Amino acid sequence: MYTKDGEKYFILDAHVALWDARPENQRNIHGKQFIDCFYDYHRNLSPESEVWPYEEYLYQGGERLMRDLFTDGYVDHAIFQPALLSAFYNNGFGQTEEAFALAQRHPDKLTYNHCWDPRFEQAGLDQLKRDAERFGLKGVKLYTAEWQGDSRGYKLDDPWSYRYLEACQELGIRNIHIHKGPTIRPLDRDAFDVADIDKVATDFTDLNIIVEHCGLPRLEDFCWIATQEPNVHAGLAVAMPFIHSRPRYFAQIIGELLYWLDEDRIQFSSDYAIWTPKWLVEQFVDFQIPEDMVEYAPLTTAQKKKILGLNAAKMYDIDVPAECRLPSGEDSTGNKTEAVAVA
């Protein structure tokens, strides 16, 4: 956990990956384009002291992941959110077997989510059922811009997508994480559009729809959808590093999310290994909305605790130590209320 000024924060990093983008795993030029785009985000948005050498960035491995997250990074629990990208990488980008084995060795620290692609139709649906049993899935990560054959993306409201979502309902996979964020070369911008979230959230009210990267750069569109769909949540992956490189932009992002959603539907993510959690946690705990941005209320400690870990812990039924929970009978503004529910 992280401790600052007498406050203890339970840290749940809700979006991490273990990838292999080394040249021997790159299927074609697009594999290099993809990881190079990631590296540009990494070096342009990170403090200089946190920038990795390019060669280390291509593959971090489980030992380094454990150190960066749990030894150095204050993280109490993390959730793998893999991207397959088999059109670009021989053995996939996200390393399923290595990540799952790591989660099996450290179940108190790691949860493994898997992925599916509706364009595999019935064969993929059968595979999802096997994966749900093997991995004990509580969630999945979807990449709607992924290439498959001649297709360069799919929509969540496609007929086969609905069959997969219905299967998730039946299998008890309640948490649907969806990449809806900045374009990553060579993927297509429009394939990340947030418009299909609206219909799916309405039709699957018993599923949690976590929009990773909170729709950036389509934040306004996302907020107008999420404000009327109570099962839509915002993941802060990609948004978080702007706390360093463009703090006023980050203030706008977090201010808009708190205005349109609330502090119960926002989740911290480092997006490891694009960035590491240590400096993000430290800067977020210290962060405050600039006084001249009067349209946004100041951030409270309780809001920060919810965003940094309590919200995702509740969603994934992860136990939180008593000293990290919110005081019973107090809400995020300090007003007396009924007891605050925590995981």
Side-chain angles (χ1 to χ4, degrees):
M1 66 184 70
Y2 182 61
T3 302
K4 181 72 180 289
D5 297 332
E7 298 286 351
K8 295 182 178 180
Y9 299 80
F10 182 84
I11 309 299
L12 198 157
D13 196 335
H15 191 291
V16 305
L18 183 60
W19 68 56
D20 184 357
R22 291 173 292 189
E24 57 267 32
N25 193 35
Q26 294 173 13
R27 185 181 296 275
N28 46 44
I29 187 61
H30 300 313
K32 186 175 190 316
Q33 290 172 335
F34 188 87
I35 194 60
D36 285 356
C37 186
F38 264 25
Y39 191 68
D40 285 343
Y41 280 119
H42 168 72
R43 64 186 179 87
N44 289 327
L45 300 184
S46 299
E48 186 176 353
S49 61
E50 304 299 324
V51 175
W52 295 8
Y54 178 77
E55 292 72 20
E56 293 181 22
Y57 197 75
L58 298 178
Y59 172 72
Q60 65 272 31
E63 183 177 345
R64 178 162 189 169
L65 178 145
M66 296 299 294
R67 182 177 72 249
D68 288 340
L69 267 58
F70 303 106
T71 302
D72 299 335
Y74 311 117
V75 174
D76 295 287
H77 199 96
I79 302 174
F80 281 117
Q81 308 286 4
L84 188 56
L85 299 175
S86 56
F88 305 158
Y89 296 97
N90 296 314
N91 191 39
F93 181 65
Q95 297 303 289
T96 296
E97 297 304 328
E98 189 174 2
F100 180 56
L102 204 60
Q104 285 185 302
R105 292 199 298 272
H106 304 280
D108 57 326
K109 295 182 180 296
L110 290 164
T111 294
Y112 180 76
N113 283 354
H114 200 48
C115 50
W116 49 255
D117 186 328
R119 292 168 294 184
F120 288 110
E121 299 184 347
Q122 188 60 48
L125 198 57
D126 294 339
Q127 185 64 52
L128 170 60
K129 295 173 182 177
R130 293 191 293 269
D131 290 339
E133 181 177 0
R134 180 191 175 200
F135 299 129
L137 294 178
K138 291 185 177 181
V140 291
K141 167 69 184 296
L142 308 182
Y143 221 76
T144 57
E146 184 161 354
W147 293 4
Q148 176 61 41
D150 294 331
S151 170
R152 292 172 62 145
Y154 65 90
K155 297 293 185 183
L156 290 173
D157 55 359
D158 290 341
W160 271 103
S161 295
Y162 264 52
R163 293 186 63 178
Y164 279 66
L165 291 168
E166 289 163 357
C168 286
Q169 288 177 310
E170 296 168 3
L171 294 166
I173 304 172
R174 302 293 302 279
N175 305 315
I176 313 298
H177 298 255
I178 307 156
H179 180 110
K180 295 289 188 179
T183 300
I184 305 167
R185 189 183 186 200
L187 303 174
D188 298 339
R189 184 199 67 169
D190 289 348
F192 288 134
D193 191 84
V194 298
D196 53 352
I197 296 291
D198 193 11
K199 182 177 178 181
V200 167
T202 298
D203 290 346
F204 294 90
T205 56
D206 56 338
L207 298 180
N208 296 313
I209 310 297
I210 306 96
V211 177
E212 299 295 352
H213 323 298
C214 53
L216 293 174
R218 309 165 191 84
L219 181 64
E220 185 174 10
D221 288 350
F222 167 72
C223 286
W224 279 95
I225 293 170
T227 196
Q228 65 177 348
E229 302 289 355
N231 58 330
V232 172
H233 303 251
L236 289 177
V238 171
M240 285 302 309
F242 287 108
I243 200 170
H244 165 74
S245 59
R246 293 185 62 193
R248 292 182 67 86
Y249 181 51
F250 179 78
Q252 178 189 0
I253 293 169
I254 200 70
E256 291 293 326
L257 292 174
L258 287 168
Y259 178 82
W260 291 102
L261 284 72
D262 55 56
E263 68 266 20
D264 297 321
R265 291 194 283 146
I266 306 171
Q267 299 179 6
F268 166 75
S269 304
S270 70
D271 216 348
Y272 184 87
I274 306 182
W275 301 279
T276 48
K278 182 178 186 293
W279 65 274
L280 294 171
V281 170
E282 292 172 346
Q283 292 198 25
F284 185 67
V285 169
D286 291 344
F287 184 79
Q288 191 50 263
I289 302 287
E291 291 183 0
D292 64 331
M293 298 181 75
V294 295
E295 64 271 39
Y296 305 124
L299 286 170
T300 68
T301 297
Q303 286 175 329
K304 293 176 181 178
K305 288 184 175 183
K306 286 186 174 185
I307 292 168
L308 281 170
L310 299 183
N311 290 340
K314 184 176 181 180
M315 181 177 288
Y316 277 85
D317 299 318
I318 294 169
D319 186 53
V320 175
E323 63 267 28
C324 296
R325 302 175 186 178
L326 292 183
S328 178
E330 185 175 302
D331 67 13
S332 61
T333 64
N335 296 320
K336 296 298 179 182
T337 66
E338 297 297 324
V340 177
V342 295

